[in-house]
Amino acid sequence: MNQDVLDEAVLRPSQRSALAELTTPPAPQAPPRRAPRVDKNVRVAIVHDWLVTYAGAERVLEQIVACFPDADLFSVVDFLDDRSFLRGKPVTTSFIQKLPKARTKYRAYLPLMPIAIEQLDVSAYDVVISSSHAVAKGVLTGPDQVHISYVHSPIRYAWDLQHQYLQQSKLTNGPKSALARLILHYIRNWDIRTSNSVDTFVANSQFIARRIRKVYQRDAHVIFPPVDVDAFVLHEQKEDFYLTASRMVPYKKIDLIVEAFARMPQRRLVVIGDGPDMQKIRAKAAPNVEIMGYQPFKVLQDKMQRAKAFVFAAEEDFGISVVEAQACGTPVIAYGKGGALETVRDLSSSRPTGMFFEEQRAESIIAAVEEFDTHASRFVAADCRANAERFSAAHFRERFFAHVRSAVPALQGASLPVYEPYVATPAVSGAAQAPRVLAIDQSGVLGGAELSLLEIVKALRARIEVVLFDDGPFRTALDTAGVNVSVLDSGALREVRKQGGTPPLGQALKGVAALVRATVARARHADVIYANTQRAMVIGALAGRLARRPVVWHLRDIVSAEHFGRKQLRIIKWCAKLGLAHVIANSAASARAFADLTGFDEKQIDVVFNGIAAAPFDALRNVPVATLRARLKLPQDAYLVGSFSRLARWKGQHVLLEAMVLNPHMHAVLVGAPLFGEDPYEVELRAFVANHGLGDRVHFLGFQHDIAACMCAVDAVAHTSITPEPFGRVIVEGMLAQRPVVAARAGGVLEIVEDGVNGVLCEPGDAHGLADVLAELRSNTALRERLVRNGYQTAIARFGTAAYVAGVERILKGVVGGKKAR
């Protein structure tokens, strides 16, 4: 650090002696700043840390852009899909934008961000406004530029939260820890140095202003961040339940709230949100605690309006959800530290809007809830709403624009632009814009195809609509993900099966016509139709032809006589010629079979491996196997071999049962249910178990939502399909669960498993071979460890969700930009 800066940091003016004041020569006066000329427009640049999502910092950025609609934008990276909050503005980015895996691993480039932000050239602007919680305030400015920095927080993980960050990242000791500490030390020095180039700081709360004072030795003007209070309606009638809503990450302390209410069975708690701590939080829940997971805004709004109180246990810089709850007229029970102290009026006020607890402990929350019940009559919904309105977006724009105007002489006579909601201009060509997608799927159940589609719609949520031909758990999952979804009545078409079963021709044609009409109506608002299943592809091809929209089929089957009847194969071949612009295959095996059947141009077929999220499995890494087995009512000491798929003959669960007869030292766990008229097969399996005396060694768990927990509860995963599998999602999930995988040697499986390296291959239908391999796995520790280690690396490197989503999105964009409906 520069010695002058260090001296100033150590010996502040208020601490200097009288002798020092007399003997130190007066500091030279800085020359006056050249004010921007008033006879020209003031040029404004807005610099933001990174643009990857729409969260609290981006809400502030949205309103700053509204204050200065002609400003130019700069950011370290920009990977936004929905750009509406930026009013369609382009963004100048740094060299990190083009580095490998920057879209998903941009935080890993933190050591390069100081130099990256310094390479953004804003020298042509009169005013620079940085929106900073990391490095944006470090942008280089000249002596005649005014730099105003709205600070959400100094870099938290480099300052007071460093030790918490290192613990959560498991970097408390060792060489990596030393390197991380060295990097954070460098960032702290850089952070202090660059604070000197900021002319005026704005903080989002008094709490952050104090942090700025402590870190930078600078005062900050406080302007609370904008909250969209108009999106929440005052609701005076409250119901007898408490609410908490947040992303489930450690510092939010949702687990403490759940633990507290689990010890208060007479009180009901509703929890909304998702994140890495989900499994940990579910484990602490009691019957009086409802874990809803991620919910669309309308559900959150409804629960927030009707809740008796909103419970908040995090130490936040501000805490937008606390204000949103009060906008609904709902009082708040909050941890008494951080920004909540500035947004909630406690019982010492004549018009209280909530109360505080002193410690982040379950006991403290319990005491606060009990005290809240005692004083419940003092909380008035209208008072909560009035308090929340102090933090409206309009109020933020007025205060922020006034602050910038007072700091820039050339803006003295300027007035705040009239706020107008942004309406996107329709694109001239779909090639340059992210396309609007109509996704269609025939099923309401949560099969492998539907789970894979769910990853796509989560990523493209803002510009995708989903149509299902049947209702069920998949529709619920889509609702939970906040996706626009509708269910069409498929009528007699529900009876169509891959193997050729069909309803009477008249009924079938009537059902097809109805689905096509409804799909055409929706397709007119989309740029591309994305069909996820075979029956959906047929409807999509017809609808695409009528609506003049390109159709992309995500092929998740091997289209051969082993999987489809002759009629279905003819229909697939006909639809390929009629209306398919492109095919995405989930494996090379699927792609080859489709090309052989249809003669489709190979340039119109791409292979994109399914992406499977590691987070649900990683979240269970520290959960004891005994805990998972107890939850699922599985034996604690047995060697458990798991099968994970719907109960269907071609999935080969009977092969695993035959192997159990040959291997008396093992148990089989069958996770799955008959989904498509395959109930007789389940009856057959149960009869086999009874006839061979396997009742105490075979465990039918039926359909399970938490596949990760089931996989982490077993010792090995068996994939036993007797006909070629198009992909083999279960195999990758087993690798992510860090369990050794045994799989059938056919189809797409061969593109995942390298025999003896990351899994073991057996001949399809060979029960003796399967029994021998499972026995070897049980006794050979070195083999198990090698398969687990290599399998996990394979799953992460080749089958991650980011690459999967990016691949599908790239193809959809290419089809919209370069192809027409066939």
Side-chain angles (χ1 to χ4, degrees), residues 562-770:
E562 293 176 293
H563 290 272
F564 290 87
R566 284 184 297 175
K567 289 182 181 179
Q568 275 66 35
L569 291 174
R570 285 200 300 268
I571 291 172
I572 291 170
K573 189 173 181 178
W574 178 75
C575 288
K577 295 180 179 179
L578 171 73
L580 290 187
H582 208 89
V583 169
I584 303 172
N586 63 352
S587 68
S590 297
R592 282 194 302 270
F594 180 80
D596 291 343
L597 174 70
T598 64
F600 217 60
D601 187 341
E602 291 185 359
K603 294 180 180 179
Q604 294 173 272
I605 306 174
D606 276 296
V607 174
V608 178
F609 291 124
N610 289 342
I612 301 166
F617 300 91
D618 291 342
L620 295 171
R621 200 66 64 223
N622 298 320
V623 178
V625 172
T627 301
L628 298 175
R629 291 189 174 187
R631 185 192 306 173
L632 297 167
K633 297 181 174 57
L634 294 173
Q636 291 290 345
D637 299 325
Y639 190 85
L640 303 181
V641 180
S643 170
F644 301 84
S645 71
R646 77 175 196 263
L647 300 183
R649 178 168 296 280
W650 79 274
K651 291 290 186 179
Q653 284 90 352
H654 61 280
V655 180
L656 178 59
L657 297 185
E658 291 168 7
M660 289 299 109
V661 174
L662 300 170
N663 199 329
H665 302 294
M666 297 183 187
H667 289 227
V669 179
L670 303 186
V671 178
L675 299 180
F676 304 115
E678 293 142 336
D679 301 83
Y681 182 65
E682 181 182 12
V683 173
E684 181 182 328
L685 293 176
R686 291 185 180 275
F688 184 94
V689 169
N691 293 338
H692 290 80
L694 301 175
D696 60 341
R697 291 175 48 218
V698 177
H699 312 277
F700 289 87
L701 298 190
F703 177 83
Q704 294 285 328
H705 286 283
D706 196 347
I707 294 298
C710 295
M711 281 197 172
C712 290
V714 303
D715 296 289
V717 173
H719 171 275
T720 55
S721 296
I722 59 175
T723 56
E725 185 81 54
F727 176 67
R729 179 186 181 92
V730 165
I731 296 169
V732 179
E733 290 177 329
M735 292 173 170
L736 290 172
Q738 297 191 10
R739 296 297 182 263
V741 176
V742 183
R745 191 194 306 269
V749 172
L750 299 177
E751 299 167 49
I752 305 172
V753 177
E754 186 177 353
D755 194 16
V757 177
N758 58 9
V760 182
L761 296 175
C762 292
E763 294 305 314
D766 183 1
H768 286 82
L770 178 61

Side-chain angles (χ1 to χ4, degrees), residues 7-18 20-21 213 217:
D7 290 344
E8 182 64 22
V10 174
L11 190 61
R12 293 191 293 273
S14 59
Q15 298 172 311
R16 298 187 182 192
S17 66
E21 294 292 344
R213 180 65 190 169
Q217 299 299 303

Side-chain angles (χ1 to χ4, degrees), residues 168 243 306 323 365 399 434 567 577 615 715 731 735 768 777:
Q168 291 173 359
L243 173 71
R306 295 188 289 111
V323 178
I365 296 173
R399 293 195 63 198
K567 289 182 181 179
K577 295 180 179 179
D715 296 289
I731 296 169
M735 292 173 170
H768 286 82
L777 280 179

Side-chain angles (χ1 to χ4, degrees), residues 298 438-439 441 443 457 464-472 474-488 522:
K298 62 182 179 182
L438 177 67
D441 192 293
S443 179
V457 300
I464 193 167
E465 178 184 357
V466 180
V467 170
L468 304 181
F469 299 165
D470 203 359
D471 205 350
F474 185 35
R475 191 265 307 157
T476 303
L478 290 167
D479 280 338
T480 299
V483 178
N484 183 11
V485 58
S486 55
V487 179
L488 306 180
R522 289 164 173 78

